[in-house]
Amino acid sequence: MTVLNEKSHDGAPDSPTEFDTVIVGAGFGGLRMLHEMRELGLSAVAIESGSDVGGTWYWNRYPGARTDSESWMYAFPIPEIQEEWNWTERYPTQPEALGYLNFLADRLDLRRDIRFHTRVTAAEFHEEKQIWTVHTDAGDTLTCTYFVPAAGPLNVPYKPDFDGLADFQGEWHVSGRWPHEGVDFKDKKVAVIGTGATAVQIIPVIAHTAAEVTVFQRTPNYVLPARNYTLSDEQRQGIRADYDRIWEQCRKHFFGFDMQPAGRTIHDVTAEEAQKILEWGWETGGFRFIFETFDDILVDPKSNKVVADFARDKIRSIVKDPETAELLCPKDYPIVGKRPPLGHFYYEAFNRDNVHLVDVSTTPISRITPTGVAVGDQEYEVDIIIFATGFDGQTGSYTGLDIRGRDGVKLSDKWADGPRTHLGIGVDGFPNMFMVGGPQAPFANFPVIIDGVADWIGRAIRFMNDRGIKSIEPRPEAVEGWRQKVNAIVDATVLSEGPHSWFLGTNIPGKPKAALFYFAGVGAYRDDCNEVADRDFDSFALSPA
């Protein structure tokens, strides 16, 4: 149904403004949805604010940036891509992850349907015509039947508004918007504010060249060793030959990984056996320490304590200075209460003479001075400040857009007390809007989630076309039921006990505390989604053409 009109991507003639689908973003979610629309034979355009594809991997170029998922699972099961793309490491760096998305876009010829350097400013649903109108900062007004925000869960960096920052005489950078030309740390005094997953990657890298690195920590993390390695040709061949089984397992695994349940709980073994099992998990590296040691870590406080104690003992054995080691040990929340990052010599970095840790949990940063960072009455002089303070996760990517559904209701107002969705895909009052990995979808290996959601959206659109249905939206009771289910799952785990957790939105001052993810696992989520589709989408209101 593409209709040519008067403006192109660059303002030239003959650019389409009417589409079956408008997609927001050209990261993993946007590219996968563009491919899905092509498979359905629908016209589509993706609107991307960056100058190229990549999403998170386009913007997050900070030193040390790499995936926390093993490379061969951090991808899509598209046969020609799996056959032709070669990963080089267990945990690929940002350039390699971005390279994969560029390869995907080129191999599938997706760029011709992407408008770069363009930001969606508003979108509204028109009841009488049952279409969406999408506005961009390029001055374009696009219309579509299906509006698909795929902006990603980590699209809006959070930077606290510290007093005095405007007067700081050095440079400062937000990790989630890293300058493409890079930053020179040689012989500089650097402040890193935050100790989440981003800071865990940055600190060991910049410590090699900076004169001094001062780390300001509010909440310590349980950082698991990644144990990265280079993939050999033989390993790549084995992975390629095993992709069908790998993806079958990823779709069933709790967090979307090719990992097997341990088949045991902490109560099945002796204390000595438990230590040996945990030692194996620690040395194997990555999230296998959590998912292939004991199956009750997330739900049994005793099991969680054994594992957390083991991790704390490892920190104490790695970090030479006892006082620093104790500051780095989380003590007030369970392991996995916050998402544990993977470390590449993170704790070892604190053994360097030029790396210092400052605890700001009780005496917070009071201001930024012209020459540094003040904690209480003490000033730390620095040349560069890095804000590694996380993201307004999940909801921020959507509420930052002016999205209006039926009767002009704003999505940000509807979510004033926390997100309300059905399956993390649809919202009542917002017909034909499909979110890709939106709030209340699972927290897991993201490409696995995206691939399943894209399949489900494709199935929904085929159902609509086959039945002559013009619009689809969740019923309010289905949205409320999903909200209750998502919250009940979180409340039954240790996840609700994590401080300043972006799982619950508590890392952002003033943001309502609410479960932002579905934590029953990827397999259970797929079952829930498929059950809805198998019942002919009866939890959705369907309007005929």
Side-chain angles (χ1 to χ4, degrees):
M1 72 181 256
T2 299
V3 177
L4 297 183
N5 209 320
E6 297 177 355
K7 289 187 68 179
S8 76
H9 303 194
D10 304 315
D14 298 332
S15 174
T17 60
E18 297 184 15
F19 299 88
D20 294 318
T21 309
V22 172
I23 300 163
V24 182
F28 267 100
L31 294 178
R32 178 62 181 83
M33 278 309 305
L34 195 52
H35 179 61
E36 187 71 19
M37 293 301 103
R38 293 260 190 94
E39 294 291 294
L40 292 171
L42 299 180
S43 61
V45 64
I47 308 300
E48 170 55 51
S49 60
S51 63
D52 209 339
V53 302
T56 293
W57 298 106
Y58 173 89
W59 295 108
N60 285 263
R61 297 167 177 259
Y62 58 82
R66 65 172 71 232
T67 75
D68 273 358
S69 298
E70 289 165 318
S71 57
W72 55 94
M73 310 175 209
Y74 198 73
F76 290 133
I78 300 173
E80 58 267 42
I81 305 300
Q82 291 182 150
E83 184 62 31
E84 298 174 20
W85 177 260
N86 287 311
W87 294 105
T88 65
E89 294 183 82
R90 182 185 187 186
Y91 298 105
T93 61
Q94 177 269 337
E96 186 167 10
L98 183 61
Y100 170 81
L101 292 171
N102 274 275
F103 178 80
L104 179 79
D106 291 337
R107 182 65 176 80
L108 300 179
D109 190 23
L110 299 178
R111 293 180 192 277
R112 60 184 168 90
D113 291 322
I114 304 172
R115 299 190 184 186
F116 297 107
H117 293 294
T118 307
R119 186 180 298 275
V120 170
T121 56
E124 66 263 1
F125 181 73
H126 298 275
E127 179 78 25
E128 66 283 357
K129 296 182 180 179
Q130 293 193 323
I131 62 170
W132 282 87
T133 299
V134 181
H135 306 277
T136 77
D137 62 359
D140 294 328
T141 298
L142 313 176
T143 60
C144 58
T145 302
Y146 308 110
F147 177 56
V148 183
L154 300 177
N155 182 48
V156 182
Y158 169 64
K159 181 185 70 64
D161 291 324
F162 290 112
D163 290 339
L165 182 59
D167 297 323
F168 181 59
Q169 296 171 1
E171 334 173 17
W172 61 267
H173 303 282
V174 177
S175 59
R177 290 294 182 268
W178 202 257
H180 287 202
E181 64 273 15
V183 178
D184 183 8
F185 295 101
K186 182 174 173 55
D187 300 328
K188 300 292 179 64
K189 293 181 178 180
V190 184
V192 178
I193 298 177
T195 51
T198 297
V200 164
Q201 294 182 335
I202 289 175
I203 291 163
V205 175
I206 67 172
H208 288 290
T209 55
E212 191 173 8
V213 178
T214 304
V215 180
F216 296 84
Q217 173 186 272
R218 179 177 63 176
T219 307
N221 260 304
Y222 296 94
V223 180
L224 310 179
R227 309 293 187 220
N228 189 40
Y229 52 77
T230 300
L231 293 173
S232 66
D233 288 339
E234 290 76 15
Q235 285 171 312
R236 281 192 289 267
Q237 290 170 14
I239 290 167
R240 189 167 282 133
D242 202 27
Y243 261 131
D244 288 346
R245 184 207 58 77
I246 289 171
W247 267 89
E248 180 182 1
Q249 181 59 29
C250 286
R251 291 181 179 122
K252 295 187 296 186
H253 185 263
F254 195 91
F255 277 88
F257 294 131
D258 179 22
M259 299 179 189
Q260 296 291 338
R264 60 176 168 255
T265 71
I266 201 71
H267 304 283
D268 297 328
V269 300
T270 67
E272 182 180 354
E273 289 170 335
Q275 294 301 301
K276 290 181 179 179
I277 290 167
L278 291 172
E279 189 68 38
W280 169 86
W282 189 267
E283 291 305 316
T284 300
F287 294 119
R288 296 180 190 276
F289 177 74
I290 299 294
F291 299 123
E292 293 191 334
T293 51
F294 297 102
D295 293 335
D296 55 349
I297 294 173
L298 271 66
V299 295
D300 185 335
K302 177 184 176 182
S303 177
N304 193 284
K305 183 179 185 305
V306 170
V307 178
D309 285 344
F310 179 92
R312 284 189 283 263
D313 286 343
K314 284 294 185 182
I315 297 169
R316 296 180 182 114
S317 71
I318 295 169
V319 180
K320 295 177 181 179
D321 177 61
E323 184 177 344
T324 302
E326 287 307 310
L327 287 175
L328 289 167
C329 285
K331 298 182 179 65
D332 300 327
Y333 68 96
I335 193 167
V336 199
K338 288 167 65 75
R339 197 276 247 181
L342 298 191
H344 302 262
F345 306 104
Y346 173 68
Y347 292 122
E348 291 83 350
F350 289 93
N351 292 329
R352 299 178 62 98
D353 292 337
N354 66 330
V355 178
H356 314 289
L357 183 65
V358 178
D359 176 25
V360 295
S361 60
T362 55
T363 304
I365 294 173
S366 54
R367 65 193 183 283
I368 305 297
T369 71
T371 55
V373 178
V375 177
D377 295 329
Q378 183 172 355
E379 180 181 357
Y380 298 85
E381 292 189 1
V382 297
D383 304 304
I384 301 173
I385 301 174
I386 299 174
F387 292 99
T389 44
F391 296 83
D392 183 358
Q394 282 296 78
T395 52
S397 301
Y398 298 87
T399 57
L401 300 174
D402 183 8
I403 302 176
R404 299 172 187 253
R406 185 179 286 108
D407 300 323
V409 173
K410 295 183 67 173
L411 185 65
S412 56
D413 291 340
K414 195 172 186 68
W415 289 357
D417 297 323
R420 299 177 61 84
T421 78
H422 186 35
L423 306 175
I425 299 174
V427 180
D428 57 310
F430 292 75
N432 291 351
M433 183 177 81
F434 299 108
M435 298 179 295
V436 182
Q440 300 179 329
F443 178 79
N445 182 19
F446 207 54
V448 176
I449 300 301
I450 291 170
D451 192 66
V453 168
D455 282 342
W456 189 93
I457 294 172
R459 183 176 176 183
I461 292 174
R462 283 191 292 271
F463 174 84
M464 293 172 68
N465 289 339
D466 291 344
R467 302 293 181 91
I469 295 166
K470 182 65 174 176
S471 71
I472 181 173
E473 66 175 292
R475 300 182 185 277
E477 59 270 23
V479 170
E480 175 59 20
W482 190 252
R483 185 192 68 82
Q484 293 181 10
K485 181 172 186 173
V486 168
N487 285 331
I489 293 167
V490 168
D491 289 343
T493 71
V494 301
L495 298 167
S496 61
E497 302 176 39
H500 311 301
S501 172
W502 71 284
F503 288 163
L504 305 174
T506 53
N507 64 316
I508 304 297
K511 187 170 180 175
K513 182 178 180 179
L516 300 184
F517 296 95
Y518 170 99
F519 277 106
V522 171
Y525 176 73
R526 290 177 66 88
D527 289 343
D528 284 343
C529 290
N530 288 333
E531 182 181 351
V532 168
D534 291 343
R535 296 196 314 261
D536 289 344
F537 302 90
D538 63 355
S539 55
F540 285 75
L542 309 172
S543 299

